[in-house]
Amino acid sequence: MTRLPDAVVGDTYRSTVGWDLIADLEDLNDRMPGHEGERTGADLVAEAFEDVGLDDVTFAEFPIPVWRRGEAALTVTHGDRETTFARSHELVELPGTPSGDVTGELVDVGYGLPEDFEDVDLTGDIAMASSVTPDDYGRWVHRSEKYRYAAESGAAGFVFYNHIDGSLPPTGSIGDLNGPGPIPAVGMSKEAGARLQRYCEDGAVEADLTVDCETGRGTSRNVEATVGPDTDETVLFTAHVDGHDVGTAANDNGFGTAMVVEVGKMLARVADELETKVRLVVFGAEETGLYGSYYWSHTHDLDEVKCVLNVDGAGYSRQLEIHDHGFEEISEAFDAVSDEYEIPVRTESQLRPHSDHWPFVQRGVAGAQGRSSSDGNDRGWGHTHSDTMDKLDVRDLRDMSILCAAGVARLAREDVTVDHVDDAEIRAACIDDDFDVGMKATGTWPWGAEKDWPWADEL
């Protein structure tokens, strides 16, 4: 097919199916991987798939480590005063942290870039690093990378302070849930972090970091459905349903989950015109290690996957961005959609080795991430208490869904080819963009290891 029918587009501008799903997901409060809210969220997605007329709605369950939050506090001595930061707007634990009580000097390592730790001995100290990466650095330095550098430098604890205003301590996995990470770790608000920076500038600051949490075993689930002809080859349109228990994960990734449902609804209306099967997949357990997408990619024949478009971080605005990881045919399809609908779509080629497209891309499968433009060098409200539905706009959801449905339908055309590559090309691109540095530091570098993904033993 060349274009979505006007009636389908018009109906989507009146649709509330995806918007209502975001509200239902928000009301679950906690969709952490392996928690009951994540399971209920997957049930809601399956019901929505059925309601919009998709075929073959199925679940796939898989084992994961499950982390549960307890209490945390940071007590600092400044001059003759002792201050304890323990309130929810001041600090939160980072998923994957171990429990523990450590005391040491508080040391600010700035951005927490690799060079900030060179020849730095943090033995027994509590390191604190900003959540921001400078715009001109060339790549994003993940929190788990900063955490690992701190631990390798001998730090006894880690504080990750936000660069976003609003008393919003950031959460997010520190990348080690097969067992607790090496040192206790918390996220801290920008305001509390600025106060600690001021204390550090005045001289040595003694601090005590206390963390109480639990890591156990459990399961997560993927939910999927299909639309279109019964072809061996398939186009995947994906998102993840899980979210953090700080905030309600409305944008990250309730919005993306809602887009999958809305796109599925549109494609079901034109199923007879699709030339390749489209598989709608909502993964579980993205936030703690991409478990759902790794599980899917290792239990299916990837030769039958024509391409993958994964949406994550799509609720910032109405400006669609396609990050094609060098698979130019995907960008070309969306360039055509942009021309057809006279709506700008931004395309980028640099790798994004995070989120659920990555388990496919790292193995050479053509994959892209769909997201929306955001202001500044940050993830906005994501991973904070403020990732809530009131920050979103139903018009953004409708516009983005229409563009993605049109793009997926074009990618499903037989005359549109999307070639896979040897994974050596992806490896070389990672090295060229210096992503290998962080991935090796966090144990997620898939090449040259016994396994091509870090949690293969979980299956």
Side-chain angles (χ1 to χ4, degrees):
M1 63 180 297
T2 58
R3 182 184 173 95
L4 296 173
D6 291 344
V8 172
V9 173
D11 287 348
T12 301
Y13 275 118
R14 295 188 295 273
S15 175
T16 64
V17 170
W19 193 248
D20 292 342
L21 177 60
I22 296 174
D24 289 341
L25 293 174
E26 174 166 77
D27 290 345
L28 298 175
N29 294 318
D30 171 5
R31 302 200 308 278
M32 278 288 289
H35 293 199
E36 184 60 32
E38 185 203 31
R39 190 173 191 86
T40 303
D43 288 337
L44 292 172
V45 172
E47 292 171 10
F49 280 168
E50 296 275 8
D51 290 344
V52 300
L54 298 176
D55 301 322
D56 307 318
V57 179
T58 57
F59 291 100
E61 190 165 287
F62 50 90
I64 60 168
V66 178
W67 182 85
R68 297 187 185 278
R69 188 182 306 281
E71 301 292 333
L74 179 71
T75 300
V76 300
T77 301
H78 176 242
D80 58 356
R81 293 185 179 180
E82 185 176 272
T83 302
T84 296
F85 300 89
R87 294 175 292 182
S88 62
H89 67 276
E90 294 173 326
L91 85 169
V92 296
E93 295 160 299
L94 298 182
T97 178
S99 295
D101 187 345
V102 297
T103 299
E105 182 179 342
L106 196 65
V107 177
D108 183 13
V109 294
Y111 294 123
L113 307 177
E115 50 266 38
D116 293 328
F117 292 92
E118 290 178 0
D119 301 319
V120 174
D121 183 3
L122 296 174
T123 301
D125 297 329
I126 297 174
M128 53 184 285
S130 171
S131 62
V132 74
T133 299
D135 287 324
D136 60 358
Y137 192 66
R139 69 176 180 90
W140 180 44
V141 181
H142 195 272
R143 85 187 74 81
S144 61
E145 186 178 347
K146 301 180 183 189
Y147 171 78
R148 287 291 163 173
Y149 293 142
E152 289 171 2
S153 298
F158 180 70
V159 177
F160 183 66
Y161 58 88
N162 210 345
H163 65 286
I164 304 296
D165 294 332
S167 293
L168 299 171
T171 190
S173 171
I174 50 174
D176 193 344
L177 280 183
N178 280 328
I183 59 177
V186 296
M188 177 164 276
S189 70
K190 176 184 177 181
E191 292 77 6
R195 189 171 168 187
L196 294 181
Q197 286 177 290
R198 175 165 60 84
Y199 290 173
C200 289
E201 290 171 357
D202 290 343
V205 177
E206 286 296 311
D208 182 84
L209 177 62
T210 301
V211 171
D212 179 27
C213 59
E214 178 184 342
T215 301
R217 307 297 302 174
T219 60
S220 181
R221 294 188 298 171
N222 296 332
V223 56
E224 62 182 87
T226 63
V227 62
D230 187 18
T231 56
D232 290 335
E233 192 174 53
T234 183
V235 173
L236 267 62
F237 186 63
T238 71
H240 70 88
V241 71
D242 61 299
H244 286 284
D245 57 345
V246 170
T248 60
N251 181 21
D252 185 11
N253 193 28
F255 192 97
T257 299
M259 282 183 65
V260 173
V261 171
E262 287 285 5
V263 167
K265 180 184 178 185
M266 283 182 271
L267 296 182
R269 294 274 301 275
V270 297
D272 291 343
E273 299 179 50
L274 294 173
E275 298 175 16
T276 303
K277 180 190 296 182
V278 175
R279 191 176 297 274
L280 295 306
V281 188
V282 175
F283 299 114
E286 186 269 353
E287 294 289 3
T288 54
L290 314 183
Y291 282 101
S293 50
Y294 271 119
Y295 180 82
W296 198 100
S297 66
H298 279 73
T299 54
H300 290 76
D301 184 355
L302 295 185
D303 289 337
E304 296 180 357
V305 177
K306 182 176 184 179
C307 60
V308 180
L309 177 62
N310 174 57
V311 285
D312 194 359
Y316 296 113
S317 69
R318 216 164 302 172
Q319 174 64 65
L320 177 63
E321 294 182 355
I322 300 295
H323 297 259
D324 68 19
H325 305 94
F327 296 100
E328 295 178 355
E329 302 96 332
I330 298 177
S331 283
E332 289 169 358
F334 278 90
D335 287 340
V337 168
S338 177
D339 292 340
E340 199 169 52
Y341 288 85
E342 298 183 353
I343 297 174
V345 176
R346 295 178 182 169
T347 57
E348 301 283 347
S349 62
Q350 188 184 43
L351 294 179
R352 297 180 66 86
H354 302 285
S355 196
D356 288 315
H357 53 276
W358 181 243
F360 299 88
V361 172
Q362 75 174 47
R363 298 172 72 188
V365 177
Q369 181 181 1
R371 50 182 290 116
S372 60
S373 301
S374 60
D375 295 331
N377 180 356
D378 57 66
R379 62 171 7 113
W381 306 113
H383 289 201
T384 74
H385 296 295
S386 280
D387 186 1
T388 50
M389 190 175 178
D390 59 292
K391 312 300 188 307
L392 306 179
D393 190 324
V394 67
R395 296 169 297 179
D396 296 350
L397 176 63
R398 291 164 176 163
D399 278 12
M400 299 274 285
S401 297
I402 290 167
L403 293 174
C404 284
V408 169
R410 178 171 286 273
L411 289 167
R413 283 169 40 172
E414 291 180 349
D415 64 344
V416 173
T417 59
V418 188
D419 295 327
H420 295 195
V421 300
D422 190 281
D423 70 337
E425 290 190 32
I426 305 300
R427 179 183 184 276
C430 281
I431 294 172
D432 288 344
D433 291 337
D434 292 331
F435 284 114
D436 63 314
V437 177
M439 297 171 75
K440 290 173 181 175
T442 57
T444 56
W445 180 248
W447 294 281
E450 292 181 4
K451 301 178 287 289
D452 68 349
W453 63 300
W455 300 285
D457 290 340
E458 295 302 315
L459 299 183

